[in-house]
Amino acid sequence: MTRTTFREWRALAPVAAGCIHALCFAPGPLPALALPYVELFSLAVLAYIVFTSHTVRRAAWATFLFGLGNFTLGLYWIFVSVHDYGGLATPLSVAAVVLLAAASSLYLVLAAALARWLAAPVLPVPQNWRLHALTGAVWASAWTGAEWLRGTLFTGFPWMNIGYAHLDGVLAPWAPVVGVYGVAWLAAFAAGAIALFAAAAN
């Protein structure tokens, strides 16, 4: 892989993963049974990029691109609301969606940067399963904390909390016990674990 191709991959992979992630919250085009597993895979792609980034800054930038793809596609309905029903001009309607997506992405950036910074001493690959588990827990806690902040600050905007992608699947039985943020933690932990095992295999 050439240096230019590698750079392009590092830029495109988080955007593509974010767009795929946005499809995991309602059936169509993906089937309902696939949604929780595709969510885990796409979030694991981001976690892998964050864990293998050489700096916190690169991890933060990749996460911003992921969030931009995720929220821009996932919040398309805002364009319909403000353009079709509100009569706002098309450029302004597009700008409204992109700006909200960018603002929402900042919460994810905070989570990824914090997780990357805290896990720095054991990255790129933790040396034993205990460090794997601890690194995954740090990632999951940072991500869930960011989800909580996004759903609470400034009246909150909890749209597309990753816990909602797991209405079906293996994590669904946990929802009555731990709630949506608990499911979000479990999903983020699983994605982080997948990413760490992938990093260890390379």
Side-chain angles (χ1 to χ4, degrees), residues 16-17 50 56-58 69 75 91 97 110 113 119 135 146 148 157 159 169 173 196:
V50 169
V56 173
R57 182 176 179 179
R58 289 185 180 181
L75 300 178
V97 174
L110 174 64
T135 305
W148 180 82
F157 188 66
W159 195 267
L196 288 168

Side-chain angles (χ1 to χ4, degrees), residues 53-135:
S53 293
H54 294 301
T55 65
V56 173
R57 182 176 179 179
R58 289 185 180 181
W61 175 243
T63 305
F64 179 76
L65 294 176
F66 174 93
L68 201 60
N70 177 59
F71 289 116
T72 300
L73 185 59
L75 300 178
Y76 75 92
W77 54 270
I78 291 179
F79 175 89
V80 177
S81 298
V82 299
H83 180 267
D84 295 356
Y85 297 100
L88 193 64
T90 298
L92 293 178
S93 299
V94 171
V97 174
V98 173
L99 287 174
L100 179 58
S104 298
S105 298
L106 295 179
Y107 292 97
L108 308 186
V109 169
L110 174 64
L114 179 62
R116 176 64 180 76
W117 178 68
L118 290 175
V122 299
L123 293 177
V125 182
Q127 297 303 309
N128 58 59
W129 69 268
R130 291 184 180 85
L131 289 177
H132 270 272
L134 180 60
T135 305

